[in-house]
Amino acid sequence: MLKKMEMPAHKCRQQDLAVLAGDAADLARKSIWPSTSEWPFEARDISPLAWWRTLPADLLRDAEHLLVIDTLGRISMFDRDDKLPAAVRGDTAAAIGAALSLLPVDEVTLAVDITMTALLRCALGGDATSTVVLANILHRIELNYPLAAELSFSWYTRLARGSSRCGFRALRRSGFHDRNDHAEDKA
C-alpha cells in the first residue's frame, strides 16, 4: 500500500521580519496612531518600525538602537530609488534624503515606517542632523496625531542635552557601529 506523503509546510523566508515588524502593516492600515491614554509606551510593546512615531527619544537607548539595526538588517529591499536601500544599511545622507522625500507625510505606510526607522537609526547613532530632521518631520506631520509635538520636542531635547552621543561607547564595544562612527572618530 502506498502511504500518502505530506509535503512540509512552506515557510516564508521573511517570516522573521513579519515577527519583528509585528503590527506595522496593520497599524498602517487600521489605526495609524495608538491611543494616547497610555503614552509614553514601552519599546517592548511596539514594533521597532513604529518607534519613530510612538516613543519619546529618552526611551530609546543602546539596546533599542541595536534592535533597530537588527530589524533593518532583516529587511530585503527591491526599490527603484537607491536612497532607501542605502538608508536601511545606515547611510546617513541617504536616510535624510529618503525621509525628506516623504514630505508631506499624509499617510503612514510600511515604506514610511521603514524610511523613518532608517532615519531613527542614524539619530540613535548620534548624528545631529538626523535628529533634527526626525524632530522636524514629527513636528510637521500632517496626520492630526496629538503626540507629534511631544515626540518632536523629545528629540530636540535629546539633541540639546547631547545624550544622543552617549550611546557611542556601548555600540563601539558591541561591534555594532555605522560607517558614520568612523568619520566621527577622525573628527
Side-chain angles (χ1 to χ4, degrees):
M1 247 187 159
L2 294 174
K3 290 186 178 181
K4 184 178 178 183
M5 290 181 57
E6 290 187 33
M7 296 296 288
H10 175 69
K11 184 177 177 183
C12 179
R13 294 169 87 193
Q14 301 298 327
Q15 189 169 358
D16 290 339
L17 175 60
V19 171
L20 277 176
D23 58 349
D26 288 338
L27 281 174
R29 270 187 247 108
K30 294 178 186 172
S31 172
I32 294 187
W33 307 108
S35 167
T36 58
S37 62
E38 302 166 12
W39 194 76
F41 311 106
E42 292 186 30
R44 68 175 181 230
D45 298 332
I46 302 166
S47 163
L49 293 175
W51 287 350
W52 71 272
R53 58 184 164 90
T54 53
L55 296 177
D58 60 335
L59 292 183
L60 298 171
R61 297 183 181 96
D62 292 343
E64 289 79 17
H65 187 191
L66 293 174
L67 283 171
V68 165
I69 291 169
D70 186 56
T71 300
L72 290 172
R74 294 173 183 252
I75 295 174
S76 297
M77 307 272 337
F78 298 102
D79 195 351
R80 296 179 303 268
D81 184 10
D82 289 332
K83 285 181 190 169
L84 192 52
V88 167
R89 289 189 307 270
D91 183 312
T92 302
I96 291 169
L100 291 174
S101 73
L102 296 173
L103 293 175
V105 178
D106 54 3
E107 178 182 10
V108 175
T109 63
L110 187 55
V112 169
D113 274 343
I114 291 170
T115 303
M116 293 303 295
T117 300
L119 183 65
L120 174 67
R121 173 187 182 169
C122 298
L124 290 174
D127 183 72
T129 306
S130 298
T131 305
V132 169
V133 171
L134 178 61
N136 192 311
I137 289 175
L138 284 165
H139 180 74
R140 296 177 50 176
I141 204 152
E142 297 182 7
L143 296 169
N144 196 24
Y145 182 43
L147 297 177
E150 287 86 352
L151 289 172
S152 176
F153 182 74
S154 78
W155 285 101
Y156 283 124
T157 302
R158 179 181 179 126
L159 185 63
R161 282 193 325 245
S163 66
S164 62
R165 298 185 50 80
C166 71
F168 277 109
R169 288 183 295 276
L171 289 173
R172 284 189 183 125
R173 284 191 302 267
S174 72
F176 282 88
H177 51 277
D178 299 326
R179 293 185 318 198
N180 297 332
D181 291 345
H182 297 295
E184 297 230 358
D185 287 340
K186 295 175 187 174

